[in-house]
Amino acid sequence: LATVMNVNNGEILSMVSLPDFNPNYPSSILPKTENNLVTEARYEMGSTLKIFNAAIAYESDSSSQSQRFEISKGYQITNDKKIKDNHIKNNSLSFDEVFIKSSNVGSVKILESLGFDSQKSFFEKVGLMDKLDVDGLNIVSNKLPNSWSSHSKFISYGYGISLSPISLITSFCSLVNGGYKIKPKILKSNKNLKRQKILSHETSQKIKILIQKIVNEGTGKLALVEGLRVGGKTGTSKKVEKGNYSEQKVITSFIGVFPANNPEYLTFVLFDEPEKNINDSYENTGGNTAAPTFSEIVKKISPILSPTLISINEEN
């Protein structure tokens, strides 16, 4: 699935949900192909949710921004489960590096330093607890944890909460548009709706800088678009199968904006059980499946949406 949204006014410019169907041949329509997965499906979003931890730290002006986080020993998240960052060779990471390298251990430790209660209140503030209501769309409610305190550690790296793509992107817009809450829509309106300020301008500025680092230096490198500033976050999550997390089946995604220094548009790409990736790796991740797809989409749509988009080589 993929979707494109205006981050400032919530206008949804495009939604694609595959597999689809041909209404001219009703007998060939397969189960679930009639659903718009952007609005009618829920996913554990994986590492795309980590960026909300950064926003919590920025909004509270936490000292964690200047700390280093030891990750080499992993993190005992329950009595019988320990998480590790096997893809990262560093023993410790700076605040920014936790997100650039997408560290699960670092992400939990950042939230721990902020206080786990801060997560639920922040999710409420940015609308991830809301039931979205959009004219012309059927939208499922997010599946929230029964006990937030027992799930907050898992939520810090994208598990334990299932979100619809449209809910995720709506809340993400507030992180990058200067801190304003928006309402998604598919129908144009001439009404000048008053936008609600929910986050500080400084928080939004810092998020925009961080997501550019993720693309330029980290897991999102394959999302780069020549001549255009882009920023975003990769996500990879194990898929639940028969009540347990699969070691083979994954959901991969990338959420990104452009131009990243002054975002106008957001593009979100998600693959449910991708079968291959761009660099023939044995492992499918958000970085080698959804990120390069984001890049290809943005290359084609950016000249159409805004021919005057700022070049990556120009000054801010």
Side-chain angles (χ1 to χ4, degrees), residues 34 66 112 119 145 279 298 301-302:
E34 295 175 273
S66 59
E112 187 175 49
Q119 183 189 70
N279 48 16
V298 173
I301 67 174
S302 54

Side-chain angles (χ1 to χ4, degrees), residues 25 37-38 54 86 114 156 182 210 222 227 233 292 302:
Y25 301 95
L37 300 179
V38 177
N86 294 324
L114 298 168
S156 72
I182 61 163
L210 181 59
L222 293 178
K233 183 69 188 77
S302 54

Side-chain angles (χ1 to χ4, degrees), residues 177-195:
N177 69 6
Y180 293 94
K181 193 170 186 176
I182 61 163
K183 179 177 171 58
K185 52 180 176 286
I186 58 173
L187 302 175
K188 274 191 171 293
S189 172
N190 293 324
K191 295 180 181 178
N192 291 320
L193 298 177
K194 187 177 181 180
R195 296 193 300 172

Side-chain angles (χ1 to χ4, degrees), residues 44 162 209 211 217 226 257 281 305:
E44 288 183 294
S162 296
I209 292 170
I211 60 176
E217 307 169 25
E226 185 177 356
V257 298
S281 168
L305 291 176

Side-chain angles (χ1 to χ4, degrees), residues 26 44 91 107 178 236 247 258 283:
E44 288 183 294
N91 290 326
S107 192
T236 309
E247 293 301 321
F258 62 97
E283 184 180 23

